[in-house]
């Protein structure tokens, strides 16, 4: 196994491993966020807030009429099996015609509204919102919807402890155990809240079931951490639900070590009270890997260019004076080479070598592990020395 990356490379050259780990300062790089919230014509008019802001309101807001209106929207969007679809502004106002159309489309698995999921924050985000409105004095219907959503998460879990991206199962990579975009960790964190009494209105049976589901999830996490040359590293973004082997998703999401999703996994493990030896080993191994694969002396630069479709390009610049820590989204297992992959599925080792649409349409480099290494992990280690 290579020692890791010092990151002394430019965007226009292939990337290769250097000698030994390098530590860095906090990054100031903030990637362009792609907003996936769409109303799809379902709303009569926009609400006073967007769904993405629904969990960012002051506590007293959740006792008001606007919070109840949005909670009632969630009851409409909730699939009969208990979960929610993704990428919708569920705060947008719904007239009666829109509500009836949603119910019809929920019955069709070929329609997005008929495909409940844990991808992109779906289901566990709606559950947290309903819990806040109910706790603020909302009606019993919100508690019932919350419990139905918990039952959905429990039913969707594989016997081995993992979660598919979609349930009921959808053919293709959607049935893989999915860490990508925080899917499985999002479900586990919500269930851990249930198991530890965050929601006192949940009955004991569901609390016990949530506790068991979390325990199985932790076992799955430990079983899927990738080991290279006898050394624990990180996790792939998705796994085969039968073999637990790392696997691919979309054409540009290949078998790899994830510099993004693995941060959420480590943070989840560090949130376990009184960690076992196995959990401690997993955290230490992943943190060591993050330290070794940091990219130094580089900046991701948004270069304005009106001639391009989006008006800009993204390039990686060599900037020893101002560079701050970056991690790649994907690393090649065994070499720790950062991987950049276009829709052709071919691995390349420089961002500039993939097509423009993928280069600017996906987060290939970011400061994902900075807070973990500088703040969260040191505090965890001090607490569990």
């Amino acid at each position: 196994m290579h020692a890791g990356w010092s990151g002394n490379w430019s965007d226009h050259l292939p990337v290769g491993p250097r000698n030994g780990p390098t530590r860095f300062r906090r990054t100031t790089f903030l990637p362009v966020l792609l907003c996936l919230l769409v109303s799809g014509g379902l709303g009569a008019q926009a609400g006073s807030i967007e769904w993405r802001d629904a969990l960012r309101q002051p506590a007293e807001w959740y006792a008001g009429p606007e919070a109840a209106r949005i909670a009632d929207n969630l009851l409409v969007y909730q699939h009969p099996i208990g979960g929610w679809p993704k990428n919708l502004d569920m705060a947008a106002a719904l007239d009666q015609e829109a509500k009836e159309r949603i119910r019809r489309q929920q019955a069709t698995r070929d329609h997005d509204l008929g495909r409940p999921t844990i991808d992109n924050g779906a289901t566990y985000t709606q559950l947290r919102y309903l819990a806040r409105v109910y706790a603020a004095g909302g009606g019993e219907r919100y508690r019932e919807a919350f419990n139905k959503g918990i039952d959905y998460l429990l039913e969707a879990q594989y016997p081995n402890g993992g979660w598919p991206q979609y349930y009921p199962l959808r053919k293709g990579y959607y049935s893989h155990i999915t860490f990508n975009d925080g899917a499985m960790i999002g479900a586990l964190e919500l269930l851990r809240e249930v198991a530890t009494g965050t929601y006192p209105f949940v009955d004991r049976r569901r609390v016990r079931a949530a506790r068991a589901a979390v325990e199985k999830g932790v076992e799955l996490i430990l079983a899927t951490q990738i080991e290279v040359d006898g050394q624990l590293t990180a996790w792939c973004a998705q796994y085969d639900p039968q073999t637990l082997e790392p696997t691919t998703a979309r054409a540009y999401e290949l078998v790899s070590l994830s510099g993004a999703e693995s941060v959420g996994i480590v943070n989840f493990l560090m949130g376990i009270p009184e960690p076992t030896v196995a959990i401690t080993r997993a955290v230490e191994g992943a943190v060591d890997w993050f330290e070794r694969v940091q990219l130094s002396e580089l900046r991701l630069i948004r270069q304005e260019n009106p001639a391009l479709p989006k008006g800009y390009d993204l390039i990686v610049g060599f900037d020893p004076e101002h560079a701050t820590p970056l991690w790649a989204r994907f690393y090649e297992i065994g070499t720790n080479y950062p991987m950049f992959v276009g829709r052709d599925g071919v691995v390349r080792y420089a961002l500039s070598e993939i097509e423009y649409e993928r280069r600017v349409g996906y987060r290939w480099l970011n400061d994902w592990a900075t807070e973990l290494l500088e703040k969260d992990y040191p505090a965890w280690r001090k607490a569990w020395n």
Side-chain angles (χ1 to χ4, degrees), residues 365-377:
L365 297 162
N366 203 350
D367 61 344
W368 286 295
T370 297
E371 189 168 354
L372 170 66
L373 297 187
E374 292 187 357
K375 178 182 175 182
D376 298 334
Y377 170 70

Side-chain angles (χ1 to χ4, degrees), residues 67-78:
R69 181 191 68 79
I70 295 173
D72 287 337
N73 278 6
L74 299 191
L75 303 190
V76 176
Y77 281 110
Q78 188 174 27

Side-chain angles (χ1 to χ4, degrees), residues 237-307:
Q238 54 277 319
Y239 289 81
D240 184 283
Q242 303 300 323
T243 67
L244 298 188
E245 290 296 317
T247 190
T248 61
R250 289 172 287 192
Y252 47 89
E253 296 170 332
L254 305 183
V255 170
S256 60
L257 293 167
S258 172
E261 280 71 25
S262 295
V263 173
I265 297 172
V266 173
N267 280 323
F268 175 79
L269 292 176
M270 292 193 304
I272 296 174
E274 300 184 13
T276 64
V277 171
I279 291 170
T280 300
R281 287 186 64 246
V283 170
E284 299 282 1
V287 167
D288 175 71
W289 179 81
F290 276 117
E291 290 176 336
R292 288 185 288 111
V293 301
Q294 294 181 59
L295 304 174
S296 68
E297 302 182 332
L298 303 175
R299 272 197 313 124
L300 187 61
I301 302 168
R302 176 172 168 143
Q303 189 174 64
E304 301 300 326
N305 186 341

